[in-house]
Amino acid sequence: MPELPEVETICQGLKATLIGKKIKKVRFFRENLREPLPHELTKTLPSQTLIDIKRRAKYLLFYFEHSLLLCHLGMSGSFYIKSANEPLKKHDHVEFVFNENFYLRYNDPRRFGLIITANTPIDENPKLNKLGPEPLSPTFNSDFAFKQTRTKQTAIKSWLMNNHYVVGVGNIYAQESLFLAEIHPNRPAKTLTNSQCQALVNAVKKILKQAIAKGGTTLKDFSHTDGKPGYFKQALKVYGRTGLPCFSCNQRLEKTIIAGRSTCYCPSCQN
DNA sequence: CTCAGATCCTGTGCGC
DNA sequence: TGCGCACAGGATCTGA
C-alpha cells in the first residue's frame, strides 16, 4: 500500500494523537507477520510513554522510554486509531492500548508487514544500515544519481525503486517521476545524461512533496490514521492509465512490465 | 557484483 | 452465481 508519502502521512497522524501517551496494554492476535512478533513487548511496553515517532524510508520508528519499535507496512498494512474499544476488524493483528482510551491497531491482510524491536543507534540496525539517502534530502542530488548510475545496466525504473540508491520510491511514484522527467522507464540507468539525472531527481522531489501535501494516494484501502483518504490519486498522470490519452500529448499511454511490476508510460513524451 | 525472477499472503475484479 | 486466473502500494532471497 504505502510509499513514502503515505508512510509520512501516517507518521504525522500518529504523532499528533499519541505522543506523550502511556501504553496500558499490548495485544497480539497472530504469531508473526513477515517475521515473528516480539512477544516480550506485551510485558515490557505497558507503563512506557511514547516519546517520539520518526520515519526512515518506509519504516516507522516508535521511540518509547526504554524500547524502540521498527514497523513496516509492506503492501497492505495500515494503522488506525480509535478512541473507544470498538470490535476488531478482520486482519487486525496487533493492538496498542494507550491511556485516555486510545486504541492503536495494526491491520494487514497480506501480512508482508513487519513489527520488530530495535536497538539504538538505528544506523547500525540491519534493516536500515544499507538504505540509500532519503529522496527529499540534499544527499539525493544529480551528482549522486549520475555517479550511482554509471555502471548500472538495469532499467532506470528498477534503479529508482531499489532502496540501496534512494528510499521511499515505489511503483506509483517511480512511474509518475519518470513521466514528469520525460524519461522512458526501460532506459538502461547508465545511459542517462547528467541533465536527465538532474531532471529525474527534481521530478522525484517534486512528486513526493506534492503527494505529501495532499496526504498521499488512496487507491483502495490506504487511509490516514483517522480513516480519511489521501487526495493525490486525482493528480496521477500515468499510474493506472494504460490505454488512456497522455495528458501532455494525447497519445495512448502504453504498459510494460519492469522487474515484475506493471509500468505505464507515454511512448511519445518519454525517451 | 549485477540483475531478473520467484516468493511471502489475501482480496478483488475480470472473463468465461 | 460461481470458478479460475491475473494482479495489487514491498522487500528479500536465489541462482544465472
Side-chain angles (χ1 to χ4, degrees):
Chain A
M1 166 210 325
E3 299 182 39
L4 185 146
E6 291 74 40
V7 178
E8 180 63 29
T9 299
I10 290 166
C11 184
Q12 299 305 329
L14 293 173
K15 284 177 77 164
T17 308
L18 298 177
I19 293 294
K21 297 206 165 39
K22 186 179 284 192
I23 290 273
K24 284 171 65 181
K25 190 172 185 180
V26 177
R27 295 201 291 165
F28 293 143
F29 306 109
R30 171 170 276 280
E31 289 298 308
N32 55 290
L33 301 174
R34 206 168 87 206
E35 293 181 12
L37 287 163
H39 212 266
E40 71 274 11
L41 286 178
T42 57
K43 292 196 173 66
T44 57
L45 268 195
S47 86
Q48 288 198 51
T49 297
L50 180 60
I51 306 297
D52 199 5
I53 307 174
K54 292 179 182 172
R55 180 192 60 74
R56 169 73 174 112
K58 296 169 190 164
Y59 289 91
L60 288 167
L61 303 161
F62 292 76
Y63 289 83
F64 290 89
E65 290 168 276
H66 309 295
S67 303
L68 173 56
L69 261 56
L70 198 59
C71 300
H72 194 292
L73 303 172
M75 291 277 251
S76 59
S78 61
F79 278 108
Y80 72 96
I81 299 171
K82 292 289 180 186
S83 52
N85 191 4
E86 296 178 13
L88 292 171
K89 296 179 184 173
K90 193 173 185 182
H91 304 302
D92 279 351
H93 303 310
V94 182
E95 177 180 70
F96 302 89
V97 184
F98 287 81
N99 60 0
E100 301 174 32
N101 273 352
F102 283 98
Y103 294 80
L104 172 65
R105 287 166 180 170
Y106 179 74
N107 184 288
D108 189 354
R110 295 175 72 178
R111 307 204 309 276
F112 290 170
L114 184 73
I115 298 180
I116 55 174
T117 54
N119 296 317
T120 49
I122 60 164
D123 292 342
E124 294 170 15
N125 186 283
K127 300 284 183 201
L128 306 178
N129 65 6
K130 293 184 183 63
L131 295 175
E134 287 287 326
L136 296 178
S137 74
T139 314
F140 182 61
N141 55 45
S142 62
D143 284 346
F144 173 86
F146 189 71
K147 285 184 182 128
Q148 291 289 329
T149 50
R150 286 314 85 194
T151 59
K152 303 297 183 294
Q153 184 63 36
T154 195
I156 187 60
K157 186 193 172 218
S158 290
W159 184 88
L160 200 51
M161 290 177 66
N162 184 334
N163 62 23
H164 182 71
Y165 305 118
V166 60
V167 301
V169 184
N171 201 27
I172 297 176
Y173 299 112
Q175 293 175 54
E176 295 299 313
S177 300
L178 287 162
F179 175 78
L180 182 58
E182 302 184 336
I183 297 168
H184 195 292
N186 255 326
R187 270 278 293 280
K190 66 197 293 187
T191 68
L192 265 64
T193 64
N194 210 328
S195 67
Q196 284 180 315
C197 287
Q198 181 73 69
L200 183 57
V201 165
N202 290 348
V204 167
K205 290 176 189 283
K206 185 173 180 182
I207 293 282
L208 292 178
K209 282 181 191 169
Q210 287 178 352
I212 291 169
K214 298 203 175 198
T217 300
T218 295
L219 294 176
K220 201 172 127 29
D221 52 8
F222 166 72
S223 69
H224 298 183
T225 49
D226 58 6
K228 291 177 182 160
Y231 293 102
F232 194 69
K233 185 180 177 185
Q234 292 90 323
L236 297 176
K237 299 282 200 297
V238 285
Y239 179 89
R241 297 195 66 249
T242 301
L244 297 173
C246 173
F247 286 126
S248 181
C249 75
N250 229 32
Q251 183 158 337
R252 270 173 65 95
L253 298 177
E254 292 184 3
K255 172 183 163 174
T256 185
I257 304 290
I258 298 174
R261 317 296 294 276
S262 66
T263 307
C264 182
Y265 65 100
C266 176
S268 171
C269 294
Q270 296 174 255
N271 297 291

